[in-house]
Each structure stands twice: as structure tokens, then as C-alpha cells.
Amino acid sequence: MIEVPKTYEEINEKIRSGEVVVVTAEEMVEIVAELGPNGASQKVDVVTTGTFGPMCSSGAVINVGHSTPRMKITHAWLNDVPSECGLAAVDLYIGATEVAEGDPLNRSHPGRFNYGGAHVIEDLVAGKDVRLRATAYGTDCYPRRELETWLNIRDLNEAYMLNPRNAYQNYNVAVNKFAERDIYTYMGVVKKGLGSANYCSAGQLSPLLNDPYHRTVGIGSRIFIGGAQGFVYWQGTQHDPTGARNELGVPKGGSATLGTVGDLKQMDPRYVVGVSMLGYGVSLALGIGTAIPILDEELAAQTGVSDAQITAPVIDYSHNYGLNEGEPLGHVSYAELKSGSIELEGKTVPTTPLSSYVRAREIAEKLKGWVKAGQFPLVPPVQALPTPESSPGFKPLNYRPVAEEGGE
Amino acid sequence: MSESRIVLHFPKTLLDRPVISKAVQHYNLSFNILRADITQEQEGLMVLGLEGEQDDIDAAVEWMREQGVRVQPLEKDVVRDDERCTHCGACVVICPTDALAMDLQTREVAFDAAQCVACGLCVPVCPPRAMSIHF
């Protein structure tokens, strides 16, 4: 068969006329297996993806409005969680991993971290009142020095998520090879003696694993975020497409990432969940999804990728990760990880996921409905994310001990 | 033969009395201690598996109640808030009895209360705090 590439306009026209064929990335696996990439590219117009897992580099901008008298807030707490206020007078940024003041942290190890910024964001999205406490030094134009009030999202001028890094394309599998006890990490509790393998990716449903060179997702791309529609505003921090890839172009480890933005007022707390990682801290479990236009055979093949074709590096988190040492202990496929156990160094190691595949599936299904209903128009990226050719890669900290005389 | 798993709360005044050994001897039961604790309030807490004829188990439980022990069936004790659970799976390697296990077809975490020994390990490990333990 001859390949007939499609354009964004043609796909949007099919959406308008109701002829569009939309499937999830999970369904696409079967379709490509049956029809091949060429056949699949002619049958399917759009493939939807989804992921739902802890994404630490998240947070929200809120503008609380001006009080009378006015105040230039210099310190602020939302439900006792410190909020960044080094911005204009009443703009705040609440980071997802910020822990409530007074939390015992890891003084009694492992700490529980029951409440933090991610929970504040979830409470706002759920429409719950949140208590703001703020102080200021006072100026001629902003005389007020103290404020304590209830806030509700409906009264805020702006409340939007602004996340420096989401939707990591592939990720490590964490194991504990060397510690004599279980370890408490952002990947969950990792059991001693290779007692567990903790992974965190939706694999074949994951947004960036279905478009490995991010041809259809870039700056300006519309996405599903927390139950609402939002956008990609930049590459995520630590975006590094330069690493090793398999024969399908799928990165063998952490690679591309997305900077995302979305309106908190439109979100659904089902997809914005504050989570507490024992002994580690607070994070935000967030739902992200994309809709990939099947412009050609290559995208059909890429969206048809299955868990068996995607591998992740197995990293020791008891020693190697923390000290930036050593090599991966191996590479395993998501099909193996999802089977319940992997074979590693002659041992059968039980696996445990941290990202919810059921909710990832739910997001991809929801997006399918939005695309079909014409509520999710597809547009090419305004600008591509850095590619393997254009990216400077991912640098470690250039550590330069501070001399008494100061820097250059 | 029947098996019954129960949670016993001993008030401080009963802590030094051999309530369990008397009960199992008198009613011809065998027992398995799944968990035993003395809380900060100096109340004794024990999770117990009892084996014997169902009539004898019931009579033993009744007798322990008469002695002042508060007795609850075990399966009511660890509770999952299904609204809160995201089925992430962080609990499945932590649960020692496979009461919490990933269904490989649906990818949901199934909670089988009958297998739960109320150890409580899942409670602090659950990222969205969906698990709670009630005695």
C-alpha cells in the first residue's frame, strides 16, 4: 500500500464531519499488530494517551486579590504550608512538595508527610476553603502587615497549575540492593535484598512514549491536565532527548519532559491528588494526557508500541542513585514489570507500580470522547521541543567550592 | 472445624490475667497470635486467629466479653476508602498476605479483607492515604 500522509487540517475536518477514528494508545497496539503501521495509519486518525502518577515538579499560581488596606505579602502560608511570594503583591506560588510547617519531617524516620502543597492544590480544586495567613513589612502603598482569611477557589482571580516538569518520557525502576533495611524514596518503599522493583510509568499508554521524538507535542500543544484542558508552555526541566534509544526510537531511560499549564478552576480532584511518600515527602499525583494525530505511517508505528517493546533501566536506590554511581543493574520491559515480577541477578523480584494504569486508561478514554466531540482541536506545536540534535543534553551540577575571595 | 479472626481489646485491669489461655483450654480451641500490642493508654490489643467448633468459638468470645474484653471481628478493621484509592499499586509489595494484590487484567488493586491480618503496614505506605485501621 502507498502511504498517504494526513494533515492536521484533514484530521480536524474529519472531527467536524464526525468521521474521525480515535483510539487509545492501548487499543492502537492491537490495531498495528493486526494491520501493520501502514494499514493502521489509514484506519486511525488520532491516538489518545494518558498517565497518572506522582509528579513532584508541579505547583500553582494563585492571585488572591487585594485586601483593604492593601498588602504586599512577604510571607504566606496556605493551611500552614509555606507559599512562595517573591512575586508581585498578592501573587503566590504554592509548590506541590512543600511540607506543612511544624511537620516532624524525618526526625522520626520514616516521616509520614501527611499534608503539603499538593494537598492544598487538591483542596482548592475540590472547592474546599483554604486558610491563608500572611505577613508583610509594610510600605507607603501597601500598609497592611498581617492577614488571616479563608480563601476559596471561586473567589480567586487566577488559579492555575504551572508545572516545571511533568510526564517524564520513561523512568527508572528502583531496587534496593545494598541497604540492610527497606529504604524510603520518592519511588515508594523499596524493600531490602532486591525485595521489590518499583516502577512509575504508564508504559504503552504514556504520552511521550507514544511519540518518542515529540513530533506532535511541543510548545503550545493542547493537553489533558488534571481533568481540564491545558497546554505545554516549554520543555520540562531536565528534558534530555539525547540518550540511548531502541530500534523504534523509544528512549531506554528518562528522556523528554513537559512544562505544563492548566486552569485549576476547570480541574477535577479525581486527577489532582495530594500524595504522601513515606519517609520522603509530599508529591502531586496528576493526570496528563495527549492526543496524537496520526499524520503518517511512522506515527502509527510509534503509537502502536507495546509494553513488551519499551524497556526501563533498573537502578539501585540504596547506594548508586544517591551517589550518582554505578551502572543500571539491567533493563526490563514494561510487560515484564506489569506481570508482577521481574528476574534480576538470579532472583525473582516482585514489582510494584506507583502510577495508576487504570486512571491512565480512564484519561485516554476521556480524551477520546473530547476529540470525537470536537472539544479538543488538534494543532501543530508552535515550536518543537529540543530534539536529540538541538538539545544540549542534561548536565550535572558544576560544583565549584566557594573560595574566600569569591567567584570569577 | 471453623476458623475465626478477631481483634481483642484488653482494659488495663485485665492485662495480667490469663484470659486467652483459659478460654482456649475451656472451649477446646487452638489459637494463633497475629499481632499483640500494648498501646500508650495501656490498653492491650491482640489480633487472634481461633480454630475449633463454631459453637465453641462463639461461646469463648461470649465468655471473653463477660470478662471485660472488647471483641471485634477482624475484617472490619482495615478499611479502604475507595474514593481515595487511585489503584497506583504502591501497597502491593508491602502487604505480607496478598490481601492487597494487583489484578493483572483490570490493573486494579483488589482488597481481600478475608486475607488481611490487620498488620497496618499499608496505612502509612498508601500515597493518597486511602487505608485506615480501626480497632
Side-chain angles (χ1 to χ4, degrees):
Chain A
M1 276 187 284
I2 299 162
E3 192 190 353
V4 188
K6 279 178 264 189
T7 64
Y8 278 88
E9 291 69 30
E10 283 164 354
I11 291 171
N12 283 321
E13 182 48 42
K14 281 187 163 184
I15 292 173
R16 276 189 291 274
S17 67
E19 291 164 35
V20 71
V21 176
V22 190
V23 302
T24 68
E26 194 176 27
E27 294 163 334
M28 190 66 167
V29 175
E30 305 283 313
I31 296 170
V32 171
E34 191 187 322
L35 304 178
N38 190 314
S41 74
Q42 293 181 38
K43 180 177 176 177
V44 176
D45 303 306
V46 182
V47 170
T48 59
T49 69
T51 186
F52 181 89
M55 302 195 198
C56 286
S57 208
S58 300
V61 173
I62 65 173
N63 179 287
V64 301
H66 286 278
S67 61
T68 305
R70 287 177 191 267
M71 181 178 190
K72 176 191 175 321
I73 295 174
T74 44
H75 291 95
W77 297 260
L78 295 165
N79 285 350
D80 293 327
V81 181
S83 177
E84 178 58 42
C85 30
L87 301 159
V90 293
D91 282 341
L92 307 178
Y93 185 82
I94 177 80
T97 69
E98 193 74 49
V99 179
E101 203 167 72
D103 189 289
L105 307 173
N106 263 341
R107 282 192 285 276
S108 172
H109 191 260
R112 299 283 180 113
F113 303 97
N114 283 326
Y115 197 88
H119 300 89
V120 172
I121 294 169
E122 180 188 345
D123 283 346
L124 283 168
V125 171
K128 290 184 189 166
D129 281 347
V130 168
R131 199 179 71 251
L132 167 69
R133 186 160 58 84
T135 61
Y137 50 79
T139 71
D140 289 341
C141 46
Y142 290 102
R144 186 171 195 139
R145 297 202 176 186
E146 281 179 20
L147 176 66
E148 193 157 357
T149 180
W150 291 105
L151 296 179
N152 191 287
I153 193 167
R154 65 172 179 265
D155 302 322
L156 301 174
N157 289 311
E158 287 80 21
Y160 59 92
M161 225 176 244
L162 186 69
N163 302 343
R165 178 170 71 248
N166 286 165
Y168 233 121
Q169 185 182 33
N170 214 345
Y171 210 76
N172 298 338
V173 178
V175 295
N176 174 357
K177 184 175 175 182
F178 302 110
E180 284 170 4
R181 59 166 177 83
D182 295 348
I183 58 169
Y184 300 89
T185 74
Y186 68 88
M187 296 291 285
V189 181
V190 191
K191 293 175 82 177
K192 65 180 177 184
L194 298 178
S196 72
N198 303 28
Y199 67 101
C200 190
S201 169
Q204 64 190 11
L205 256 180
S206 184
L208 291 169
L209 288 174
N210 279 282
D211 183 2
Y213 292 101
H214 27 90
R215 284 174 57 203
T216 68
V217 60
I219 294 171
S221 292
R222 187 183 298 272
I223 55 168
F224 175 108
I225 176 170
Q229 291 189 21
F231 297 91
V232 174
Y233 70 83
W234 204 249
Q235 67 268 27
T237 51
Q238 301 182 15
H239 172 86
D240 177 17
T242 64
R245 293 171 186 263
N246 71 12
E247 63 282 359
L248 290 163
V250 178
K252 293 181 173 175
S255 185
T257 65
L258 302 177
T260 64
V261 60
D263 188 358
L264 235 50
K265 295 187 182 200
Q266 309 293 325
M267 290 188 189
D268 178 346
R270 185 169 177 79
Y271 305 107
V272 182
V273 178
V275 293
S276 306
M277 306 308 292
L278 187 62
Y280 176 74
V282 171
S283 188
L284 182 72
L286 179 65
I288 298 275
T290 57
I292 301 170
I294 303 304
L295 304 171
D296 52 30
E297 193 179 321
E298 183 185 54
L299 279 167
Q302 288 165 338
T303 51
V305 74
S306 73
D307 282 332
Q309 298 167 304
I310 309 168
T311 62
V314 182
I315 306 285
D316 166 63
Y317 271 62
S318 61
H319 178 89
N320 292 358
Y321 181 85
L323 297 179
N324 268 325
E325 281 180 15
E327 292 298 313
L329 304 181
H331 292 266
V332 291
S333 76
Y334 283 94
E336 292 169 88
L337 288 163
K338 287 178 182 174
S339 75
S341 63
I342 58 169
E343 295 300 317
L344 191 67
E345 304 199 339
K347 254 196 98 173
T348 300
V349 182
T351 58
T352 200
L354 291 162
S355 89
S356 169
Y357 195 74
V358 258
R359 215 154 277 189
R361 201 182 257 159
E362 197 178 294
I363 289 164
E365 284 292 337
K366 224 176 162 91
L367 258 173
K368 201 158 103 176
W370 289 358
V371 173
K372 282 185 187 168
Q375 295 162 347
F376 199 89
L378 301 174
V379 290
V382 174
Q383 178 161 315
L385 303 179
T387 62
E389 295 73 37
S390 70
S391 168
F394 177 26
K395 296 189 280 280
L397 172 72
N398 178 17
Y399 175 61
R400 297 186 297 144
V402 177
E404 280 177 19
E405 294 301 312
E408 290 163 9
Chain B
M1 287 285 273
S2 297
E3 197 198 345
S4 195
R5 290 178 185 189
I6 53 175
V7 181
L8 308 174
H9 301 260
F10 294 83
K12 200 175 172 180
T13 51
L14 282 181
L15 284 182
D16 56 353
R17 291 180 44 196
V19 177
I20 295 188
S21 59
K22 277 191 170 172
V24 297
Q25 274 172 19
H26 190 266
Y27 293 98
N28 196 27
L29 306 174
S30 61
F31 70 101
N32 183 19
I33 297 172
L34 302 168
R35 177 175 167 171
D37 265 330
I38 295 177
T39 65
Q40 280 179 340
E41 294 75 36
Q42 297 290 299
E43 186 197 63
L45 181 146
M46 188 177 279
V47 181
L48 200 64
L50 288 176
E51 258 185 54
E53 296 301 327
Q54 189 61 48
D55 287 353
D56 289 333
I57 294 175
D58 293 345
V61 167
E62 194 47 45
W63 181 79
M64 286 191 283
R65 283 197 171 118
E66 282 166 15
Q67 305 309 304
V69 182
R70 197 149 53 84
V71 186
Q72 289 175 298
L74 175 62
E75 52 272 14
K76 284 186 183 158
D77 291 329
V78 169
V79 177
R80 179 168 74 182
D81 179 347
D82 287 331
E83 286 294 302
R84 195 76 199 145
C85 172
T86 66
H87 298 277
C88 71
C91 55
V92 301
V93 287
I94 300 303
C95 178
T97 66
D98 289 336
L100 290 160
M102 180 64 72
D103 182 318
L104 297 182
Q105 296 308 311
T106 64
R107 310 303 306 175
E108 288 188 354
V109 176
F111 177 41
D112 179 0
Q115 293 203 56
C116 174
V117 294
C119 68
L121 286 175
C122 55
V123 175
V125 160
C126 172
R129 298 284 184 257
M131 306 303 294
S132 55
I133 191 158
H134 302 283
F135 289 114

